[in-house]
Amino acid sequence: MLRIIDARTGEPLDAAPVRRGLTRVEAHATRYDTGTLRVLLVADLLVRALELGGTPVRALLTGEGDRTRVRAGAAALGVRPFEEGRDTGLREAQTLHVVGEGDATPDGVRITVAPVEPTDLVPASGADPGAPEHGRGTDPAVLRMALLSRPRSAPVRLDDPALEEARATLVRWRRAVAEWARQPSRPVPEDVRGQLRTAWEDDLDVPGVLGVLRRVEEAGPELPDGARFETYAYADRLLGLELTRDLGAWA
């Protein structure tokens, strides 16, 4: 079961206290910058993790920021659409507010997201890994990877080394997944599946999930390539990095 740290108390609690009960995830957007996009990315990961655990979720966007630009930037980053934050009469078992550090302090469970520097590095539409940056924009998948590589409670510095590491990892993993897919499929090993779920259910530890994938990548021949492929495809249901995008490209 997913447990998260409530910023109000510093204590962990169940993200979905009622089994199969509807949970509301509310992302608070106060401006259009990279920090706000990180807030929406964390909310997106929270929704994905809850759904993977079988919890129905209602995802909402609220705040005073430029909604059109925020939605466009989030979509480019691979964040799934949010509803507008309004009362529909539905009764949620719990509401989880995802907010930027130092921003809104709504009543209820709060999940805070640390800031990002620089604030003007936003997704460049149509970019590909390895392509040059356009102004302060960069490839959305590379930006998503770089943001996922740090705990949400830790500030992120998106300098050239961080972006290059994210780009290189993403390109390498997509190519590896395409190559592994050419071998007979094998199920995700149960111990590996358990490590992935233990990581993301522990306060949404996405860097821990990436660490499991690195160990799978580096495992010896005792782990079949077909199992590596299924492991990466399974983890990508949370990560949203399109790791299977290049299937067939390296045949």
Side-chain angles (χ1 to χ4, degrees):
M1 177 177 291
L2 175 63
R3 291 178 65 78
I4 54 93
I5 301 296
D6 185 354
R8 301 171 304 169
T9 64
E11 297 295 326
L13 52 75
D14 292 341
V18 178
R19 182 173 174 80
R20 307 299 180 187
L22 179 64
T23 296
R24 172 174 172 152
V25 173
E26 191 164 330
H28 293 256
T30 57
R31 64 189 70 84
Y32 179 65
D33 61 14
T34 316
T36 293
L37 293 182
R38 191 186 191 195
V39 168
L40 268 68
L41 174 58
V42 170
D44 180 59
L45 293 168
L46 183 57
V47 170
R48 290 169 182 257
L50 287 165
E51 290 178 343
L52 282 167
T55 298
V57 184
R58 183 174 178 229
L60 302 173
L61 175 64
T62 190
E64 301 302 322
D66 184 336
R67 300 293 184 86
T68 300
R69 296 184 71 197
V70 167
R71 286 186 178 279
L77 201 59
V79 173
R80 296 181 298 183
F82 289 79
E83 300 177 35
E84 286 296 322
R86 58 181 180 274
D87 187 8
T88 63
L90 295 174
R91 292 293 173 260
E92 297 90 357
Q94 180 156 269
T95 298
L96 307 174
H97 297 276
V98 186
V99 302
E101 196 173 276
D103 286 341
T105 55
D107 293 335
V109 179
R110 289 199 303 273
I111 300 167
T112 57
V113 181
V116 180
E117 292 292 339
T119 60
D120 60 342
L121 186 64
V122 295
S125 59
D128 288 312
E133 294 179 15
H134 302 277
R136 294 306 297 154
T138 193
D139 170 59
V142 171
L143 184 55
R144 185 177 178 110
M145 181 71 172
L147 291 171
L148 294 180
S149 298
R150 295 281 291 167
R152 71 162 188 276
S153 59
V156 174
R157 177 69 185 173
L158 295 175
D159 53 15
D160 289 341
L163 292 172
E164 180 52 39
E165 180 181 357
R167 180 181 293 107
T169 301
L170 186 62
V171 169
R172 187 179 74 251
W173 281 2
R174 284 177 172 175
R175 180 167 187 169
V177 167
E179 292 176 342
W180 295 334
R182 299 168 63 187
Q183 303 303 318
S185 178
R186 295 289 186 272
V188 179
E190 284 305 314
D191 62 327
V192 174
R193 186 188 298 272
Q195 292 171 32
L196 290 169
R197 295 196 71 96
T198 296
W200 79 55
E201 290 180 352
D202 180 15
D203 197 33
L204 209 58
D205 181 11
V206 178
V209 172
L210 297 177
V212 174
L213 295 186
R214 291 188 183 95
R215 293 194 292 274
V216 168
E217 178 187 20
E218 297 166 358
E222 69 277 2
L223 184 61
D225 284 351
R228 297 179 210 262
F229 169 79
E230 295 295 346
T231 297
Y232 273 62
Y234 175 67
D236 204 38
R237 294 170 61 189
L238 173 78
L239 300 174
L241 290 169
E242 297 185 326
L243 295 177
T244 61
R245 192 194 69 172
D246 292 343
L247 295 188
W250 304 102

